[in-house]
Amino acid sequence: MDKTSFFQDVYDVVRLIPKGRVTSYGAIANYLGTKGSSRMVGWALNSSIGKDIPAHRVVNRSGLLTGKKHFGDPNRMQELLEKEGIKVKNNQVQDFDKLLWDPIKELF
DNA sequence: CACATGACTGGAT
DNA sequence: AATCCAGCCATGT
């Protein structure tokens, strides 16, 4: 994670997210070392659209599907999550604390 | 080179 | 407890 694009690092972590799990922007940012730059994570994911990046598994710290509107179709993100067994209600992930996959805790 | 923007977060009011 | 404000870093103009 030096000369590699910040995006590439984000992609790598997001790809490692287990199916049926979710993570928060802050968790990824913290894992990358750029703690506090959660905005960059989200922005990086913005470029992940159209790639093999399961960006739908990344939500904000409240478990809210903040980036659903960037998927082309707002309903796409929720459907993908529900398809993986994640319960989503009102753009919000249910049992978020339970499904939360923290790279720092899981990978470290 | 400086300002503005962005899928966020945490502390302050 | 809910809302507001400021900080955070990378990319684009």
Side-chain angles (χ1 to χ4, degrees):
Chain A
M1 16 184 186
D2 300 333
K3 37 217 189 118
T4 325
S5 292
F6 187 86
F7 302 144
Q8 195 59 42
D9 296 329
V10 177
Y11 300 161
D12 192 41
V13 177
V14 175
R15 271 192 219 139
L16 292 173
I17 300 175
K19 183 183 170 192
R21 295 284 185 134
V22 293
T23 189
S24 63
Y25 302 93
I28 296 175
N30 188 20
Y31 175 74
L32 294 177
T34 54
K35 184 186 178 186
S37 63
S38 41
R39 297 180 183 228
M40 302 299 86
V41 178
W43 199 15
L45 290 177
N46 184 25
S47 295
S48 74
I49 301 300
K51 300 178 173 50
D52 296 326
I53 313 298
H56 56 273
R57 293 180 186 153
V58 185
V59 295
N60 74 342
R61 75 179 182 112
S62 305
L64 193 70
L65 307 185
T66 50
K68 68 173 203 159
K69 49 187 186 180
H70 289 273
F71 274 76
D73 291 323
N75 288 13
R76 182 96 162 243
M77 189 172 186
Q78 181 169 332
E79 286 222 0
L80 286 168
L81 288 170
E82 291 187 320
K83 206 166 183 173
E84 298 190 351
I86 299 174
K87 309 262 188 8
V88 180
K89 185 81 173 188
N90 194 21
N91 299 335
Q92 188 177 298
V93 177
Q94 305 299 290
D95 304 315
F96 177 63
D97 338 346
K98 228 165 93 172
L99 297 170
L100 179 59
W101 179 82
D102 212 332
I104 290 281
K105 294 170 71 174
E106 304 292 334
L107 295 178
F108 189 68

